[in-house]
mmCIF file of all heavy atoms in Angstrom:
data_model
loop_
_atom_site.group_PDB
_atom_site.id
_atom_site.type_symbol
_atom_site.label_atom_id
_atom_site.label_comp_id
_atom_site.label_asym_id
_atom_site.label_seq_id
_atom_site.Cartn_x
_atom_site.Cartn_y
_atom_site.Cartn_z
ATOM 1 N N ASN X 375 -17.350 -51.036 49.786
ATOM 2 C CA ASN X 375 -16.424 -50.791 48.706
ATOM 3 C C ASN X 375 -15.561 -49.514 48.915
ATOM 4 O O ASN X 375 -14.601 -49.386 48.281
ATOM 5 C CB ASN X 375 -17.265 -50.605 47.423
ATOM 6 C CG ASN X 375 -17.555 -51.892 46.747
ATOM 7 O OD1 ASN X 375 -16.692 -52.745 46.473
ATOM 8 N ND2 ASN X 375 -18.849 -52.205 46.668
ATOM 9 N N LEU X 380 -10.454 -52.214 51.395
ATOM 10 C CA LEU X 380 -10.724 -52.538 50.017
ATOM 11 C C LEU X 380 -10.214 -51.546 48.977
ATOM 12 O O LEU X 380 -10.064 -51.825 47.825
ATOM 13 C CB LEU X 380 -12.214 -52.778 49.828
ATOM 14 C CG LEU X 380 -12.756 -54.000 50.490
ATOM 15 C CD1 LEU X 380 -14.244 -54.177 50.090
ATOM 16 C CD2 LEU X 380 -12.105 -55.266 50.136
ATOM 17 N N ILE X 381 -9.998 -50.296 49.475
ATOM 18 C CA ILE X 381 -9.384 -49.214 48.570
ATOM 19 C C ILE X 381 -7.926 -49.532 48.354
ATOM 20 O O ILE X 381 -7.439 -49.347 47.232
ATOM 21 C CB ILE X 381 -9.596 -47.905 49.204
ATOM 22 C CG1 ILE X 381 -11.120 -47.515 49.168
ATOM 23 C CG2 ILE X 381 -8.901 -46.824 48.401
ATOM 24 C CD1 ILE X 381 -11.692 -47.337 47.805
ATOM 25 N N ALA X 382 -7.311 -49.960 49.379
ATOM 26 C CA ALA X 382 -5.687 -50.081 49.353
ATOM 27 C C ALA X 382 -5.249 -50.932 48.231
ATOM 28 O O ALA X 382 -4.247 -50.552 47.479
ATOM 29 C CB ALA X 382 -5.202 -50.646 50.702
ATOM 30 N N PRO X 383 -5.912 -52.104 47.847
ATOM 31 C CA PRO X 383 -5.321 -52.871 46.726
ATOM 32 C C PRO X 383 -5.421 -52.230 45.391
ATOM 33 O O PRO X 383 -4.588 -52.556 44.520
ATOM 34 C CB PRO X 383 -6.189 -54.129 46.776
ATOM 35 C CG PRO X 383 -6.829 -54.215 48.194
ATOM 36 C CD PRO X 383 -6.955 -52.711 48.552
ATOM 37 N N TRP X 384 -6.305 -51.269 45.267
ATOM 38 C CA TRP X 384 -6.423 -50.585 43.894
ATOM 39 C C TRP X 384 -5.112 -49.846 43.598
ATOM 40 O O TRP X 384 -4.852 -49.591 42.450
ATOM 41 C CB TRP X 384 -7.565 -49.576 43.894
ATOM 42 C CG TRP X 384 -8.934 -50.271 43.889
ATOM 43 C CD1 TRP X 384 -9.597 -50.729 44.932
ATOM 44 C CD2 TRP X 384 -9.812 -50.471 42.725
ATOM 45 N NE1 TRP X 384 -10.807 -51.335 44.582
ATOM 46 C CE2 TRP X 384 -10.926 -51.067 43.266
ATOM 47 C CE3 TRP X 384 -9.732 -50.119 41.458
ATOM 48 C CZ2 TRP X 384 -12.030 -51.418 42.427
ATOM 49 C CZ3 TRP X 384 -10.817 -50.409 40.546
ATOM 50 C CH2 TRP X 384 -11.873 -51.117 41.021
ATOM 51 N N HIS X 385 -4.397 -49.452 44.676
ATOM 52 C CA HIS X 385 -3.120 -48.761 44.483
ATOM 53 C C HIS X 385 -1.974 -49.668 44.021
ATOM 54 O O HIS X 385 -0.881 -49.234 43.712
ATOM 55 C CB HIS X 385 -2.717 -48.041 45.719
ATOM 56 C CG HIS X 385 -3.578 -46.916 46.107
ATOM 57 N ND1 HIS X 385 -3.567 -45.655 45.570
ATOM 58 C CD2 HIS X 385 -4.602 -46.854 47.063
ATOM 59 C CE1 HIS X 385 -4.512 -44.887 46.097
ATOM 60 N NE2 HIS X 385 -5.202 -45.647 46.953
ATOM 61 N N CYS X 386 -2.244 -51.005 43.934
ATOM 62 C CA CYS X 386 -1.235 -51.891 43.606
ATOM 63 C C CYS X 386 -1.285 -52.486 42.192
ATOM 64 O O CYS X 386 -0.612 -53.365 41.846
ATOM 65 C CB CYS X 386 -1.317 -53.154 44.557
ATOM 66 S SG CYS X 386 -1.055 -52.693 46.306
ATOM 67 N N PHE X 387 -2.176 -51.805 41.353
ATOM 68 C CA PHE X 387 -2.349 -52.378 39.940
ATOM 69 C C PHE X 387 -1.063 -52.302 39.152
ATOM 70 O O PHE X 387 -0.676 -53.243 38.517
ATOM 71 C CB PHE X 387 -3.475 -51.539 39.288
ATOM 72 C CG PHE X 387 -4.898 -51.924 39.626
ATOM 73 C CD1 PHE X 387 -5.162 -52.946 40.463
ATOM 74 C CD2 PHE X 387 -5.945 -51.307 39.021
ATOM 75 C CE1 PHE X 387 -6.439 -53.310 40.834
ATOM 76 C CE2 PHE X 387 -7.218 -51.615 39.332
ATOM 77 C CZ PHE X 387 -7.513 -52.647 40.275
ATOM 78 N N ALA X 388 -0.340 -51.165 39.287
ATOM 79 C CA ALA X 388 0.921 -51.075 38.434
ATOM 80 C C ALA X 388 1.870 -52.142 38.891
ATOM 81 O O ALA X 388 2.562 -52.732 38.065
ATOM 82 C CB ALA X 388 1.438 -49.629 38.574
ATOM 83 N N ALA X 397 -3.300 -58.271 44.012
ATOM 84 C CA ALA X 397 -3.258 -56.896 44.559
ATOM 85 C C ALA X 397 -3.571 -56.857 46.089
ATOM 86 O O ALA X 397 -2.967 -56.122 46.845
ATOM 87 C CB ALA X 397 -4.270 -56.060 43.818
ATOM 88 N N ALA X 401 -1.284 -55.512 49.230
ATOM 89 C CA ALA X 401 -1.662 -54.459 50.135
ATOM 90 C C ALA X 401 -1.688 -54.981 51.635
ATOM 91 O O ALA X 401 -1.406 -54.197 52.463
ATOM 92 C CB ALA X 401 -3.005 -53.867 49.744
ATOM 93 N N VAL X 560 -16.007 -52.118 35.382
ATOM 94 C CA VAL X 560 -15.468 -51.719 36.683
ATOM 95 C C VAL X 560 -15.335 -52.926 37.645
ATOM 96 O O VAL X 560 -14.352 -53.158 38.360
ATOM 97 C CB VAL X 560 -16.315 -50.648 37.407
ATOM 98 C CG1 VAL X 560 -15.917 -50.405 38.840
ATOM 99 C CG2 VAL X 560 -16.226 -49.372 36.585
ATOM 100 N N LEU X 563 -12.262 -54.791 37.107
ATOM 101 C CA LEU X 563 -11.041 -54.231 37.828
ATOM 102 C C LEU X 563 -11.146 -54.515 39.359
ATOM 103 O O LEU X 563 -10.169 -54.747 39.989
ATOM 104 C CB LEU X 563 -10.996 -52.713 37.664
ATOM 105 C CG LEU X 563 -10.816 -52.252 36.183
ATOM 106 C CD1 LEU X 563 -10.682 -50.741 36.167
ATOM 107 C CD2 LEU X 563 -9.529 -52.899 35.600
ATOM 108 N N GLY X 564 -12.379 -54.565 39.872
ATOM 109 C CA GLY X 564 -12.600 -54.958 41.213
ATOM 110 C C GLY X 564 -12.092 -56.355 41.635
ATOM 111 O O GLY X 564 -11.609 -56.556 42.591
ATOM 112 N N MET X 565 -12.256 -57.205 40.536
ATOM 113 C CA MET X 565 -11.752 -58.618 40.744
ATOM 114 C C MET X 565 -10.199 -58.546 40.805
ATOM 115 O O MET X 565 -9.658 -59.324 41.617
ATOM 116 C CB MET X 565 -12.212 -59.486 39.538
ATOM 117 C CG MET X 565 -13.728 -59.750 39.527
ATOM 118 S SD MET X 565 -14.401 -60.531 41.040
ATOM 119 C CE MET X 565 -15.036 -59.164 41.935
ATOM 120 N N ALA X 567 -8.602 -56.155 42.088
ATOM 121 C CA ALA X 567 -8.181 -55.630 43.385
ATOM 122 C C ALA X 567 -8.454 -56.556 44.531
ATOM 123 O O ALA X 567 -7.585 -56.542 45.460
ATOM 124 C CB ALA X 567 -9.008 -54.251 43.627
ATOM 125 N N HIS X 568 -9.437 -57.332 44.454
ATOM 126 C CA HIS X 568 -9.837 -58.013 45.665
ATOM 127 C C HIS X 568 -9.822 -59.482 45.644
ATOM 128 O O HIS X 568 -9.850 -60.230 46.691
ATOM 129 C CB HIS X 568 -11.296 -57.592 46.047
ATOM 130 C CG HIS X 568 -11.475 -56.087 46.218
ATOM 131 N ND1 HIS X 568 -12.584 -55.472 45.826
ATOM 132 C CD2 HIS X 568 -10.554 -55.230 46.650
ATOM 133 C CE1 HIS X 568 -12.405 -54.133 46.037
ATOM 134 N NE2 HIS X 568 -11.209 -53.997 46.594
#
Side-chain angles (χ1 to χ4, degrees):
N375 278 303
L380 288 188
I381 293 293
W384 290 80
H385 293 280
C386 300
F387 281 0
V560 172
L563 297 185
M565 293 300 99
H568 303 144

